[in-house]
Amino acid sequence: MSKIKPAKGSPYARILGVGGYRPTRVVSNEVILETIDSSDEWIRSRSGIATRHWASPQETVAAMSVEASGKALADAGVSPEQIGAVIVSTVSHFKQTPAVATEIAHRIGAVKPAAFDISAGCAGFGYGLTLAKGLVVEGSAQYVLVIGVERLSDLTDLEDRATAFLFGDGAGAVVVGPSDEPAIGPTVWGSEGDKSETIKQTVPWDEFRSTDSSQKFPAITQEGQAVFRWAVFEMAKVAQQALDAAGITAEDLDVFIPHQANMRIIDSMVKTLKLPEHVTVARDVETTGNTSAASIPLAMERLLATGAAKSGDTALVIGFGAGLVYAATVVTLP
C-alpha cells in the first residue's frame, strides 16, 4: 500500500483573470509592402490582416510579459506572492538558458515559484493552461500564472512574400486558480510530427553559427496551403472533440477563441463547426496579426475589455501550429 499522502488541491480549476500587452508601434500593410511585391488588397484577402504590432528594443519578451502579467493579476485579485508557478510559452526568447519565466517571476514580485518555459508554438497557451490546471488540482500550486508571449518580428523574413505580413508581437497572460465547479474542460491535444516541416525555422542555430556572415538570420517559414488545409479540416475535428469531452454542443457555446492565425482559417472553422449566430467569434488577427502563443489570451482579453464577451461565458479555445501541435479545451471566461 502506498505511503504517499493524497494531494490537497482544489477539486477544479478556473481562469481567474486575464491581461494583455500589445507593443506601441502599429505596423500597417503599407510598411510590409516596402519589402515584398504584393498589395494591401492581397494581404487582406489572404489573411484578413490590416495591421500588426512590432516591439521596440525596450519591449522585450520579459518586459511585455511583465506588463500582461500585472494586468492579469489585478484582474484576478491575486497578489504576486500567491503565485506558486509561472509557465511561459514562447519560441522567440533567444537565450537558451535560463528560462525567461524565472526573470518574469522575479520582476513581478513572485516569491520562489516554480518557473519554466515551454515550446509548443501556436498551441503553447493551451499546453500551459493544461499544465496549470493540473498543478492547481493536485495541490502543487494554489495559483499559476500562464503567459503566451512572442516577438515574432525578430523571426520574420521581410522579403518572404508568403510570411512577411503574418506575424506580430505581444504578450497575453492568465491566472489559474481553484474553483468549486468545472471551469476548464478536458484538453484534446496532440502532435503530428510527420508534418513538422510545414512550419519551421529556416536555419538551425548551430548551422547559422557555422556559416559565413552573409547567411540570412533564421526566420519562420511555412507551407501556406498545407497548413491551411490541415488547420481547416483537422482542427475543426479537434475542436468538436473538445466540445464532446466537455459534454456540451455548439449550441451551448457563447464564445469561440481560435488561434489568430488567419481570418480565412477562422471563418472556415466556424462554418465547419456549424457555430450558431449567437456565438461571438474572436477575430483579433485583423489588427494584431499572428502572435503565436500570445494570440488566444490577447484575443480573450480584448473580447472581455470591449464587452463582446462577458464573465461566465462558455468559450471554446483552440491553438494549433508548428510541430504540428494542437490543443483545444472549453473554459469559463473570467
Side-chain angles (χ1 to χ4, degrees):
M1 184 176 179
S2 175
K3 296 180 181 179
I4 299 173
K5 294 181 180 180
K8 295 183 179 180
S10 169
Y12 306 107
R14 70 181 300 128
I15 300 173
L16 299 172
V18 60
Y21 180 82
R22 293 171 173 80
T24 56
R25 184 188 176 193
V26 178
V27 178
S28 67
N29 287 340
E30 283 68 28
V31 173
I32 305 298
L33 296 174
E34 294 173 4
T35 52
I36 61 171
D37 180 17
S38 187
S39 68
D40 177 67
E41 180 184 4
W42 187 88
I43 293 173
R44 289 175 186 257
S45 65
R46 298 285 292 184
S47 68
I49 298 172
T51 60
R52 72 286 292 148
H53 296 254
W54 283 357
S56 69
Q58 293 73 36
E59 292 169 315
T60 63
V61 165
M64 292 190 293
S65 297
V66 169
E67 292 292 329
S69 298
K71 294 176 182 178
L73 288 165
D75 190 44
V78 172
S79 70
E81 295 82 4
Q82 292 176 283
I83 295 296
V86 177
I87 303 171
V88 178
S89 178
T90 185
V91 299
S92 48
H93 174 57
F94 287 164
K95 285 186 180 179
Q96 196 71 37
T97 192
V100 73
T102 59
E103 177 185 349
I104 296 165
H106 172 69
R107 288 177 62 174
I108 66 172
V111 182
K112 298 183 179 180
F116 57 95
D117 297 351
I118 60 174
S119 177
C122 305
F125 176 74
Y127 276 51
L129 185 64
T130 302
L131 294 173
K133 173 187 173 183
L135 292 174
V136 171
V137 170
E138 77 166 19
S140 293
Q142 186 176 15
Y143 299 100
V144 180
L145 182 63
V146 180
I147 303 165
V149 57
E150 301 293 2
R151 272 183 56 119
L152 294 180
S153 58
D154 292 334
L155 290 168
T156 299
D157 181 353
L158 295 179
E159 297 179 348
D160 180 4
R161 189 172 184 269
T163 61
F165 58 90
L166 287 175
F167 302 119
D169 303 335
V174 299
V175 175
V176 177
S179 174
D180 293 329
E181 59 183 14
I184 301 175
T187 299
V188 177
W189 57 353
S191 65
E192 297 183 30
D194 59 314
K195 301 179 180 67
S196 62
E197 291 295 299
T198 57
I199 306 175
K200 63 180 182 179
Q201 182 173 310
T202 51
V203 183
W205 294 118
D206 57 345
E207 185 178 326
F208 175 73
R209 180 177 62 180
S210 64
T211 56
D212 62 70
S213 59
S214 64
Q215 171 73 50
K216 269 190 172 183
F217 191 77
I220 297 174
T221 185
Q222 69 175 28
E223 298 173 16
Q225 286 302 312
V227 173
F228 180 85
R229 288 193 297 270
W230 175 77
V232 170
F233 297 109
E234 297 304 319
M235 292 305 97
K237 298 175 186 177
V238 171
Q240 183 60 56
Q241 290 170 13
L243 291 175
D244 295 342
I248 67 172
T249 68
E251 287 288 341
D252 299 314
L253 277 181
D254 300 303
V255 185
F256 178 45
I257 311 177
H259 164 47
Q260 301 293 293
N262 179 305
M263 195 75 79
R264 292 170 62 209
I265 292 176
I266 295 170
D267 290 341
S268 295
M269 290 183 71
V270 168
K271 183 177 180 180
T272 303
L273 287 167
K274 298 179 180 178
L275 295 184
E277 289 286 334
H278 73 262
V279 176
T280 297
V281 179
R283 292 189 170 88
D284 195 44
V285 66
E286 180 180 4
T287 56
T288 306
N290 180 343
T291 56
S292 189
S295 78
I296 290 175
L298 278 173
M300 182 185 296
E301 186 260 354
R302 175 162 280 174
L303 288 174
L304 289 166
T306 60
K310 63 184 186 300
S311 175
D313 278 353
T314 300
L316 169 63
V317 299
I318 179 170
F320 45 85
L324 294 168
V325 295
Y326 54 88
T329 188
V330 175
V331 303
T332 300
L333 294 183

